[in-house]
Amino acid sequence: MCGIVALVGSREASTILVEGLRKLEYRGYDSAGLATVSTHKGSKKGFITCKKAEGKLVNLLNLIATDGAPGHIGIGHTRWATHGKPDVKNAHPHVDTLSQVAVVQNGIIENHTVLRDNLQKQGIQFCSETDTEVIPHLISEALIRLQEEGVTAKEEMLFLAVRETLDLLQGSYALAVIWAETPDVLIVAKNKAPLVIGFAQGEFLCASDTSAFAGFTRTILPLEDRELALLTPLGVEIYDSLGKRQHRTPSLIVGSEKDVEKGQFRHFMLKEIYEQSETADQWIRRFLPNGLSPSSPIALSFEDSFYESIEAIQILACGTSRHAAMVGAHLLEQFAGIPSTVFFASEFRYAPPPLAPNVLTIGVTQSGETADTLAALIMESERRSSLKNNLFSSRQLGITNRIESSLARQVSNIIDIGAGLEVGVAATKTFLGQLLTFYGLAIMFAAKKKRRSSKEINEICCQLRLVPNQLRDLIKTHNKLTEKLAHQFVNTKDVIFLGRGINYPIALEAALKLKEISYIHAEGFPAGEMKHGPIALLDYKVPVISIATQGVVFEKVLSNAQEAKARDACLIGIAPESSETEIFDHLLPIPKVSEWISPLLTVIPLQLLSYHIAAHRGLDVDQPRNLAKSVTVE
Ligand code: AGP
């Protein structure tokens, strides 16, 4: 988490840094800060100006508007607290004792306690509780030593001091360093955290994510792990950890990085819920155009051998992406007949299942930067490669919304869900894009492995083509219905969501959405599981929201809902309108569609209900407390 941005150029750095930070605020918004280097007239030696503010970026902006931060070189940071409270002293940049070296960092320095103890023994006093603060102190120590050893060129000194310091760090980092003595040198480095360099005319920007480059440049170069780069107004030099110069050509950002605005909507989340019909429309155009052959019904570019050789699938993901993966696994198993298992990426890394042959590992992450998911994929790839047996070789597929992300660079096969930039921290349209991608994969596996007849495949494809319009109508209707209903639940403390089969993950997703943005305690259960314990929670104060779609478990879910009603629970149904659904106190109706397709629709009223409850509670829907859009720490 955390966003870093750094700049060296010829314009006032603070304005560009703040603009970059604004685009990275989704990575954390506990506090923000920046530091610049400038020189007094006639002097070559510079001085550092460091400004930090607690809370949202706007507070930093106000501070700079009054105090200023002069200089053409600078580093900036927007924080998601890991070590130490989100206050000014823990905000980045962090500086050494004499405020000559300033550092911003994203990631976690795992051995910071040992490093801090050593520095404290040498008499260095720390001002923050962060893991980061060891870095400027270590660089400063190294600079003093290098000077004593007779190194005189300042640029070389800083480069060597940073390199030596990096050798001491364990864990993950993307960092940027400035030194008062080198007013036009910026050093950046990374290991297991993203960092990309942007190239413009006489100006170079470096950021956690390419979104910070919008309006600045489209020419980029991502740094590799353990590389460091030296940026001056004259150019960029990249080195490996041994100091060997690396030569790579920058590339152009794929697609358009439009600066997204809320438009007529009060929140990005509501806008993004509305955009789901467009997400589906785009997906159909790209992956399900008319005229595809029955043997390749989805426009995915993998060779036939890719599908044929796979006997089982394991999917690694976190949060909402994991819920999409659960729907995906249901489709892959029940529709395409391929044994599929979903893992919490964070658990998989430390307790993977025994290796099986011919397994496809799918990593699902909308941001493409989730550290748990990336690390789990690397671990799986390494343990498979070590076997040196073709049957066990590592086949990996990534599903992401960020084609420029670390995931896309890490795996050999990638599917871009193409939902467009999602700003709200609560994932909505990217969830839909992930779901659709799993429909595509399941249909292709079913066709290639001949697990379903052409008629069945054609049927599900036809149903998918109807989804964009169904979504359009559903969103419009349910925005009104849920806004009204939400008033009743503004002071509710607990909510239970029930689903079964392919809609059980939707119950989980609904509970996660409500928790994230309204801070109301919510749980999702498979409806049949209530009687085994959770039913004890029910009374008139706990609403039960039940997803009951036509299909094999329809009657069962209705019976489970009856059981809840008998305990005085207020019952809300997400179901097609019929005499059977009259048992619900409130019905949020969805069209009668096949059970396969239903998750694409049932999720809509649930997203909207969460949104309206949170909005009625007056909460910051787009940037809920304690969260960040991209979780780049383990
Ligand atoms: C979604 O609303 C959440 N913000 C969160 O659970 C998210 O899905 C999770 O952190 C995984 O993110 P990713 O898809 O970028 O990997």
Side-chain angles (χ1 to χ4, degrees), residues 1 29 53 62 71 129 200 249 272 286 326 340 433 546 609 612 616:
M1 352 265 279
Y29 34 80
N62 292 338
E129 298 149 71
T249 317
E272 286 155 4
R286 277 174 61 211
M326 288 170 77
S340 302
S546 191
L609 187 62
H612 284 300
H616 285 330

Side-chain angles (χ1 to χ4, degrees), residues 1 269 316-323 364-374 399-402 422 424-428 430-431 434 509 512-513 516-517 624 627-631:
M1 352 265 279
M269 182 180 174
L316 317 180
C318 306
T320 290
S321 295
R322 195 181 70 90
H323 298 150
V364 192
T365 154
Q366 74 78 22
S367 63
E369 300 295 351
T370 298
D372 288 322
T373 309
L374 297 182
I399 299 179
T400 186
N401 193 40
R402 306 288 294 160
E422 188 176 66
V425 163
T428 51
T430 54
F431 178 67
Q434 291 167 339
E509 173 58 8
L512 178 66
K513 267 320 63 110
E516 278 189 298
I517 58 170
L627 297 181
K629 184 81 184 153
S630 180
V631 186

Side-chain angles (χ1 to χ4, degrees), residues 160-462:
L160 291 174
V162 174
R163 224 183 77 201
E164 278 181 25
T165 301
L166 295 180
D167 285 343
L168 302 173
L169 306 181
Q170 287 166 13
S172 59
Y173 56 77
L175 54 83
V177 184
I178 48 175
W179 184 27
E181 304 248 351
T182 49
D184 50 12
V185 180
L186 169 67
I187 299 204
V188 298
K190 78 150 236 150
N191 185 38
K192 298 185 208 150
L195 198 64
V196 189
I197 300 173
F199 295 71
Q201 203 64 44
E203 275 182 335
F204 303 97
L205 195 67
C206 187
S208 306
D209 184 302
T210 55
S211 57
F213 299 152
F216 183 83
T217 183
R218 296 179 61 79
T219 311
I220 57 152
L221 198 144
L223 275 193
E224 299 291 340
D225 280 347
R226 306 203 69 82
E227 281 184 339
L228 67 166
L230 192 138
L231 285 68
T232 70
L234 299 178
V236 174
E237 293 172 10
I238 297 172
Y239 296 87
D240 68 9
S241 57
L242 302 172
K244 187 160 174 261
R245 181 90 186 261
Q246 305 293 299
H247 296 278
R248 284 203 303 281
T249 317
S251 58
L252 280 182
I253 293 175
V254 186
S256 63
E257 287 285 339
K258 277 189 267 161
D259 201 5
V260 281
E261 299 295 341
K262 273 193 284 231
Q264 60 182 24
F265 293 94
R266 193 170 147 207
H267 294 104
F268 277 108
M269 182 180 174
L270 186 60
K271 176 173 178 261
E272 286 155 4
I273 291 174
Y274 265 80
E275 281 171 355
Q276 290 178 106
S277 51
E278 182 59 25
T279 304
D281 213 25
Q282 292 286 344
W283 189 89
I284 303 284
R285 277 174 216 271
R286 277 174 61 211
F287 295 107
L288 202 50
N290 289 321
L292 292 178
S293 78
S295 59
S296 283
I298 302 290
L300 283 169
S301 56
F302 307 125
E303 303 282 320
D304 284 1
S305 54
F306 173 84
Y307 301 97
E308 282 154 12
S309 61
I310 284 157
E311 287 165 14
I313 294 177
Q314 55 187 12
I315 316 176
L316 317 180
C318 306
T320 290
S321 295
R322 195 181 70 90
H323 298 150
M326 288 170 77
V327 175
H330 184 98
L331 289 165
L332 287 160
E333 273 195 355
Q334 305 299 321
F335 188 81
I338 304 185
S340 302
T341 318
V342 180
F343 293 89
F344 288 101
S346 54
E347 291 294 312
F348 182 90
R349 195 174 170 198
Y350 300 100
L355 286 171
N358 297 322
V359 170
L360 171 67
T361 306
I362 305 182
V364 192
T365 154
Q366 74 78 22
S367 63
E369 300 295 351
T370 298
D372 288 322
T373 309
L374 297 182
L377 286 167
I378 290 175
M379 185 279 281
E380 182 63 355
S381 170
E382 284 172 357
R383 74 174 182 144
R384 284 183 175 270
S385 325
S386 69
L387 285 186
K388 299 192 171 57
N389 178 336
N390 238 0
L391 288 178
F392 290 87
S393 68
S394 175
R395 290 152 228 226
Q396 297 199 339
L397 166 66
I399 299 179
T400 186
N401 193 40
R402 306 288 294 160
I403 202 64
E404 306 289 346
S405 64
S406 301
L407 176 79
R409 292 193 293 277
Q410 191 175 302
V411 295
S412 43
N413 302 298
I414 193 86
I415 301 180
D416 174 10
I417 62 171
L421 197 64
E422 188 176 66
V423 177
V425 163
T428 51
K429 64 175 180 172
T430 54
F431 178 67
L432 190 93
Q434 291 167 339
L435 288 184
L436 286 163
T437 303
F438 276 112
Y439 280 87
L441 276 174
I443 292 169
M444 275 301 259
F445 271 106
K448 295 291 177 191
K449 287 184 166 291
K450 303 199 174 26
R451 302 279 162 81
R452 291 276 166 178
S453 66
S454 307
K455 187 168 169 275
E456 286 171 305
I457 289 184
N458 190 37
E459 246 166 45
I460 194 165
C461 288
C462 289

Side-chain angles (χ1 to χ4, degrees), residues 124-136:
I124 288 173
Q125 287 186 357
F126 279 72
C127 302
S128 78
E129 298 149 71
T130 64
D131 52 338
T132 308
E133 198 187 335
V134 296
I135 304 172

Side-chain angles (χ1 to χ4, degrees), residues 545-558:
I545 305 184
S546 191
I547 309 167
T549 53
Q550 304 287 341
V552 281
V553 286
F554 183 57
E555 277 78 23
K556 309 262 179 232
V557 178
L558 291 182

